[in-house]
Amino acid sequence: MKKHLILSQLALCASLAFAGVSVQAQEVKGSAQAAQGKVWLCVGCHSIPDYRADYPFTYKVPMLGGQNAAYIASALAAYKKGERKHPTMRSVAASLSDQDMADLGEYYAAQTASSPNNPLK
């Protein structure tokens, strides 16, 4: 009887651990609609054609409209982790959750380079 109880408890622990890993492994789904309230962080630089930022070096700021959503989210995550070095982008990305990054990726993927501020029109 005691052996059966121990095996039951082990099976329960294993299934709970597996369920936790499954939930954690699920990918965050982005929403272009949700990003509309978050994009103000980006448009000041990324919606200006041929814009160049000059701190601490001169950077040609890319237009983001039409970029792949996963690429945008991945780039933001790399800034947040310190794998990419631009100081302004690192500070902006540090304030973003994984959901924010996925939403911003979808927002810019829904656009073209010539429609940087109105992806849902």
Side-chain angles (χ1 to χ4, degrees):
M1 178 89 164
K2 192 173 186 180
K3 185 177 181 181
H4 178 68
L5 180 62
I6 291 172
L7 288 175
S8 296
Q9 288 176 338
L10 284 174
L12 177 62
C13 288
S15 65
L16 289 174
F18 179 73
V21 169
S22 296
V23 169
Q24 188 178 25
Q26 289 178 349
E27 200 171 313
V28 177
K29 266 312 224 182
S31 163
Q33 186 75 33
Q36 287 194 353
K38 303 169 187 177
V39 76
W40 63 270
L41 292 166
C42 312
V43 297
C45 297
H46 290 284
S47 65
I48 304 169
D50 299 319
Y51 182 65
R52 296 187 187 281
D54 60 1
Y55 177 82
F57 305 104
T58 301
Y59 292 94
K60 183 173 188 273
V61 178
M63 298 293 286
L64 299 178
Q67 284 282 359
N68 179 284
Y71 173 77
I72 296 283
S74 174
L76 288 168
Y79 281 116
K80 186 172 185 169
K81 292 177 193 169
E83 296 168 357
R84 288 187 173 203
K85 303 297 180 196
H86 190 276
T88 303
M89 285 303 304
R90 286 180 72 184
S91 64
V92 168
S95 71
L96 300 174
S97 68
D98 290 347
Q99 184 65 59
D100 294 335
M101 292 181 219
D103 292 344
L104 290 167
E106 290 299 327
Y107 178 93
Y108 281 106
Q111 300 176 33
T112 65
S114 62
S115 64
N117 294 313
N118 300 306
L120 302 174
K121 283 189 175 181

